Amino acid sequence: MEQRERPVIRVRDLYKIYRVGETRVRALNGVDFAIQRGEFCSIVGASGSGKSTLLNMLAGLEKPTKGEIVIAGEHLEKKSENELVRFRREHIGFIFQSFNLMPTMTALENVALPLTFQGVAKEVRMKKAAALLDLVGLTKYRNHRPTQMSGGQQQRVGIARALVVDPEIVFADEPTGNLDFRTSNEVMELMRTIVREKRQTLVMVTHDNHLAGFADRIFHILDGKIVNIEETRQAEQSE
């Protein structure tokens, strides 16, 4: 019998409870799921559903009140802040809604920035950054600063920056929230294609059901619970 690969993300009995005065608010209320390597999963829910809290937990940005978060074989809930910083640097890439590019840097310098923190030599990091800008279709924009690029182009720089460290997992937080419909679709197609080719895992948080549909699976979250996990046609096509 063929042994199934261990999930790259495994969440068990996850709770996050905040105290607001005398009230206890359950932002996450017993969440369980697994995500395989190479999967693109979206977490979709309305504002206040717990989706952003869940993303922060998975990225090691917040500690759970209770439960396990195992990513790439490591228990995040047991790590210190310094260990979490190191873990994110080595295993995780982030794509943000607001792009978060450095305005004084060129596209090439922005993409290379995470490698600077890893101590990679300048020649190596610039070569790698240039290759990723080619991959996202921005060869001609290497020396442009963010203000000289459209929103869609800036988000492509953001995608290249997230991928430059060869992360096992990419987390995307409303990555097309500042883009128009057509550009959003283009960015989603690009993200899906690249992570599939590189066999990376992409976890995206969104409130938009249309964008969620680009994923292989959709995790519907309501009041801190995963209420439904939906397989999409994308998953069928990739098999």
Side-chain angles (χ1 to χ4, degrees):
M1 187 171 133
E2 192 177 319
Q3 189 170 358
R4 194 166 187 200
E5 190 178 358
R6 185 173 63 182
V8 72
I9 298 175
R10 184 75 180 91
V11 172
R12 289 188 181 94
D13 201 28
L14 195 65
Y15 287 82
K16 182 64 177 181
I17 301 169
Y18 297 102
R19 286 189 178 276
V20 182
E22 295 296 308
T23 312
R24 285 156 58 93
V25 178
R26 292 173 179 254
L28 293 178
N29 193 16
V31 173
D32 289 273
F33 62 82
I35 295 174
Q36 301 298 321
R37 186 174 304 282
E39 261 196 300
F40 173 10
C41 294
S42 57
I43 301 167
V44 66
S47 179
S49 61
K51 63 184 187 299
S52 295
T53 301
L54 180 54
L55 188 75
N56 287 341
M57 296 280 158
L58 295 176
L61 296 170
E62 282 190 62
K63 290 270 191 181
T65 304
K66 178 189 169 190
E68 290 183 347
I69 307 165
V70 184
I71 296 189
E74 299 191 39
H75 280 263
L76 295 201
E77 78 279 0
K78 295 178 180 177
K79 291 185 180 294
S80 69
E81 282 305 315
N82 285 342
E83 288 169 338
L84 286 169
V85 168
R86 193 177 309 118
F87 181 85
R88 285 194 293 271
R89 193 182 295 157
E90 294 171 359
H91 296 275
I92 291 170
F94 289 97
I95 302 169
F96 303 97
Q97 176 179 341
S98 54
F99 317 139
N100 285 7
L101 302 179
M102 301 295 284
T104 58
M105 290 183 169
T106 64
L108 189 66
E109 290 165 340
N110 266 291
V111 175
L113 190 59
L115 296 174
T116 308
F117 301 128
Q118 291 190 350
V120 176
K122 184 175 182 181
E123 186 182 342
V124 175
R125 64 180 188 254
M126 288 304 179
K127 186 175 179 182
K128 196 166 183 184
L132 274 159
L133 284 172
D134 292 345
L135 185 66
V136 299
L138 291 180
T139 305
K140 295 177 182 176
Y141 294 86
R142 287 180 186 176
N143 296 316
H144 285 57
R145 288 183 167 77
T147 52
Q148 298 170 306
M149 291 183 282
S150 68
Q153 289 165 342
Q154 289 183 62
Q155 192 55 295
R156 285 169 181 259
V157 175
I159 293 168
R161 180 187 55 194
L163 297 173
V164 76
V165 295
D166 292 322
E168 289 171 81
I169 301 151
V170 177
F171 291 119
D173 187 4
E174 299 279 8
T176 63
N178 288 328
L179 305 176
D180 62 50
F181 182 79
R182 184 178 64 82
T183 308
S184 294
N185 283 348
E186 288 174 0
V187 167
M188 293 304 304
E189 289 279 9
L190 177 68
M191 285 166 52
R192 184 172 66 191
T193 300
I194 290 175
V195 296
R196 188 159 284 166
E197 285 174 359
K198 289 177 166 283
R199 204 161 179 265
Q200 287 163 318
T201 303
L202 174 59
V203 180
M204 176 183 75
V205 159
T206 182
H207 67 277
D208 188 316
N209 284 302
H210 168 71
L211 296 177
F214 280 86
D216 302 313
R217 285 193 297 160
I218 305 170
F219 293 64
H220 293 272
I221 189 167
L222 178 68
D223 296 334
K225 282 183 174 287
I226 303 290
V227 292
N228 183 33
I229 299 177
E230 177 187 350
E231 292 266 350
T232 70
R233 288 181 180 177
Q234 315 301 336
E236 294 167 13
Q237 290 167 4
S238 65
E239 287 176 1

